């Protein structure tokens, strides 16, 4: 009968005592198609920001990619994750160090006279812990997954920043168009004010008519001031997004009419698993959490440490080489529940990572459905307002002509002019919303196809 020594049998018995954690399972996407039908494609599907036919937009997006603060912070986190991975890899390698010691011994012959025996010991020391149960490998797996998550986080932040640049650019262009519309309306209102004053002098109009038109001119001027302020705020937002100082930033000039509305193929719901960087990051964090669980479980199991050292001793006599080798097999016996607590923390973090992943999936699907609906409805509004705009222009022109000829009163003209300006403003906003809807769709689907 073979008997194990207690120093060996006790650590090996700990293998059977290590608890088995209950890990959560990551869900999958069950939806096969979109509830909201994708809008029909007008041409070849776009694949970059350049497909909006605006070199200024492409330049701003490239500048934001290089200089945006949030993207730079995400890059720094990747560097930190690489350092953590290097530390995890180093944990599996032997540790080599050098030592030196100097001793002063007794005098030769044991007397009070003669030189002292000086002893110098120098040599390397090496130690290595064998990864018997995969604890170090689990640490490396967790570190690699955290590095992957950091890379996906950077991609997700970059996509959001690029989308914000595009939206701010479209806002800036729309505000420029709206200011131009207000300027034209203001010129018409001032011309009408001049006509009314002439008619007042001729007795064909009253001071009430002149006062009402003067109020209308001031109202349009106030509206223009609001639009100018909003455009300045949008330019400042572009400066911050592209890493520029607002006082030094000059927003590029752009008009909505110069932009092209690109088509975009949304793909299928399951494509989000591979295309959305935030989903990929959440998935990587599940792998990191599972590595932490395995590492925490390995703490219950024995650890084998091998060590060795070689010392060269030089004294008054000949040089001596002394080499020692050793091995220690250690296992925890009583730790006050520390290992159990660490395992529970790691197990709970894995469950949390799975639920976070599930929440990210649900958010991604919701974002995609919202973006598809926004794209379709924004196009419907743009078409309706484009048809309404032509009618509003004809009505305003007819009302002005009739007023000059004396066939219509001032209120009719004011109502027609206000209606035209309102429709023109709404049409500009609809065009902007249609462009922004494409940006939202690109973001919801995880970026441009590659």
């Amino acid at each position: 009968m073979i008997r194990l020594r207690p120093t060996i049998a006790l650590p090996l018995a700990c293998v059977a005592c290590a608890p088995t954690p209950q890990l959560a399972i990551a869900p999958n996407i069950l939806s096969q198609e979109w509830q909201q039908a994708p809008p029909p494609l007008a041409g070849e599907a776009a694949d970059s920001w350049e497909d909006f036919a605006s070199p200024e937009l492409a330049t701003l997006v490239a500048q934001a990619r290089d200089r945006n603060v949030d993207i730079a912070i995400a890059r720094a986190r990747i560097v930190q994750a690489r350092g953590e991975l290097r530390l995890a890899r180093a944990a599996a390698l032997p540790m080599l160090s050098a030592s030196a010691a100097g001793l002063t011994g007794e005098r030769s012959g044991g007397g009070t006279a003669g030189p002292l025996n000086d002893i110098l010991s120098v040599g390397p020391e090496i130690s290595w812990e064998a990864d018997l149960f995969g604890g170090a490998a689990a640490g490396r797996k967790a570190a690699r997954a955290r590095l992957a998550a950091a890379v996906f986080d950077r991609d997700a932040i970059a996509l959001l920043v690029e989308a914000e640049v595009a939206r701010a650019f479209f806002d800036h262009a729309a505000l420029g168009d709206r200011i131009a519309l207000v300027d034209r309306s203001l010129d018409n209102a001032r011309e009408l004010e001049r006509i009314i004053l002439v008619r007042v002098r001729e007795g064909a109009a009253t001071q009430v008519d002149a006062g009402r038109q003067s109020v209308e001119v001031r109202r349009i001027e106030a509206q223009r001031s609001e639009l100018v302020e909003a455009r300045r705020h949008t330019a400042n937002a572009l400066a911050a997004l592209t890493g520029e100082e607002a006082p030094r930033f000059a927003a590029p000039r752009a008009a909505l009419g110069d932009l092209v509305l690109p088509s975009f193929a949304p793909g299928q719901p399951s494509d989000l698993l591979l295309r959305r960087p935030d989903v990929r990051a959440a998935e990587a964090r599940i792998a990191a959490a599972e590595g932490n669980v395995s590492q925490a479980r390995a703490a219950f199991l024995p650890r084998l440490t091998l060590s060795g050292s070689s010392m060269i001793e030089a004294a008054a006599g000949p040089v001596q080489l002394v080499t020692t080798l050793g091995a220690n097999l250690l296992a925890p016996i009583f730790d006050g529940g520390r290992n159990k607590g660490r395992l529970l923390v790691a197990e709970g973090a894995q469950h949390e990572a799975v639920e976070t992943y599930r929440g990210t999936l649900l958010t991604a699907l919701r974002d995609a459905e919202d973006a598809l609906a926004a794209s379709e409805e924004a196009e419907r509004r743009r078409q309706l307002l484009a048809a309404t705009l032509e009618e509003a222009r004809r009505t305003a022109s007819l009302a002005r002509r009739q007023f000059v000829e004396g066939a219509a009163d001032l209120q009719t003209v004011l109502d027609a002019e206000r209606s035209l300006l309102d429709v023109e403003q709404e049409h500009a906003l609809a065009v902007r919303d249609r462009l922004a809807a494409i940006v939202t769709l690109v973001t919801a689907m995880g970026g441009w196809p590659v």
Side-chain angles (χ1 to χ4, degrees):
M1 181 176 180
I2 300 177
R3 296 181 180 273
L4 295 176
R5 291 186 178 181
T7 55
I8 298 178
L10 185 58
L12 294 181
C14 294
V15 176
C17 300
T20 301
Q22 299 297 321
L23 300 181
I25 300 176
N28 205 342
I29 291 180
L30 303 179
S31 303
Q32 300 297 320
E33 58 185 10
W34 302 112
Q35 183 177 7
Q36 179 71 41
L41 298 178
E44 185 178 353
D47 58 5
S48 73
W49 298 110
E50 296 179 355
D51 289 302
F52 286 97
S54 172
E56 294 82 5
L57 173 60
T59 299
L60 289 173
V61 169
Q63 185 175 345
R65 221 181 272 128
D66 293 337
R67 303 186 60 181
N68 180 265
V69 173
D70 292 330
I71 298 177
I73 292 173
R75 291 196 195 102
R77 289 171 179 161
I78 293 177
V79 175
Q80 297 175 46
R82 287 198 182 114
E84 292 178 359
L85 177 57
R86 178 167 294 187
L87 290 174
R89 287 172 175 168
L93 300 177
M95 179 72 72
L96 179 64
S97 60
S99 64
L103 299 175
T104 301
E106 296 180 353
R107 296 181 184 275
S108 301
T112 58
L116 292 173
N117 290 331
D118 293 329
I119 302 175
L120 177 63
S121 297
V122 295
E125 294 184 0
I126 187 170
S127 62
W128 176 64
E129 183 174 326
D131 191 19
L132 295 178
F133 300 100
R140 293 193 298 273
K141 172 188 174 183
R144 280 194 298 269
R146 284 192 290 270
L147 174 58
V151 173
F152 289 129
D153 284 341
R154 179 207 57 195
D155 295 342
I157 292 173
L159 178 59
L160 292 177
V161 168
E162 292 170 13
E164 286 302 313
V165 169
R167 291 192 188 95
F169 181 79
F170 297 150
D171 285 343
H172 194 267
L175 286 165
D177 284 8
R178 294 173 66 190
I179 290 173
L181 293 172
V182 169
D183 286 341
R184 190 186 67 193
S185 179
L186 186 58
D187 290 341
N188 292 336
R190 286 170 176 166
E191 175 62 19
L192 186 58
E193 183 181 31
R194 185 190 66 79
I195 295 173
I196 293 173
L197 290 176
V198 171
R199 297 183 67 175
V200 168
R201 287 195 298 268
E202 295 175 351
T206 66
Q207 288 293 339
V208 174
D209 294 334
R212 289 166 63 184
Q213 185 59 22
S214 178
V215 169
E216 183 67 13
V217 170
R218 303 291 92 74
R219 186 188 69 83
I220 297 175
E221 289 176 344
Q223 185 178 3
R224 187 186 191 282
S225 176
E226 292 177 356
L227 294 175
V228 170
E229 180 184 356
R231 187 172 60 168
R232 185 66 258 172
H233 292 329
T234 305
N236 293 338
L238 278 172
L241 287 168
T242 56
E244 291 282 353
E245 296 179 4
R248 295 167 52 89
F249 181 75
R253 294 185 176 276
L256 293 177
D258 298 334
L259 299 172
V260 173
L261 185 65
S263 60
F264 181 77
Q268 300 301 321
S270 58
D271 294 341
L272 298 180
L273 294 174
L274 297 177
R275 290 180 57 173
R276 291 256 313 203
D278 56 342
V279 173
R280 301 290 300 276
E283 182 182 17
R285 287 191 171 87
I286 294 178
E290 290 175 352
N292 291 337
V293 170
S294 299
Q295 194 173 30
R297 185 177 184 273
F300 288 86
L301 306 176
R303 293 182 293 110
L304 176 62
T305 302
L306 305 177
S307 62
S309 63
S310 296
M311 301 297 294
I312 300 175
E313 296 183 356
V319 174
Q320 299 181 2
L321 176 64
V322 180
T323 301
T324 61
L325 298 174
N328 292 320
L329 185 64
L330 303 175
I333 298 176
F334 178 76
D335 63 357
R338 294 178 180 84
N339 286 338
K340 181 64 175 177
R342 295 188 187 100
L343 182 60
L344 287 175
V345 170
E347 185 177 348
Q350 193 271 343
H351 285 247
E352 179 184 359
V354 169
E355 290 303 316
T356 300
Y357 176 77
R358 186 168 74 94
T360 304
L361 280 184
L362 294 176
T363 299
L365 292 168
R366 182 199 65 193
D367 290 347
E369 286 288 354
D370 288 347
L372 288 169
S375 182
E376 181 177 359
E377 296 304 323
E379 175 61 20
R380 180 176 289 111
R381 290 193 301 272
R382 186 186 69 82
Q383 294 178 1
L384 289 172
L385 288 167
T388 306
L389 182 59
E390 294 302 322
E391 183 64 27
R393 285 171 178 167
R394 286 193 299 268
T395 301
S397 177
L398 180 60
R400 176 181 289 270
R401 186 166 61 250
Q402 290 178 348
F403 175 76
V404 173
E405 296 172 353
D409 59 7
L410 179 60
Q411 187 61 48
T412 302
V413 178
L414 292 178
D415 292 343
E417 292 285 352
R418 288 177 184 174
S419 178
L420 174 59
L421 181 58
D422 291 343
V423 172
E424 287 176 330
Q425 297 272 15
E426 291 175 4
H427 179 260
L429 291 174
V431 174
R432 181 208 62 184
D433 291 345
R434 185 67 180 94
L435 291 165
I438 292 294
V439 175
T440 302
L441 187 59
V442 170
T443 308
M445 298 301 172
W448 299 99
V450 293

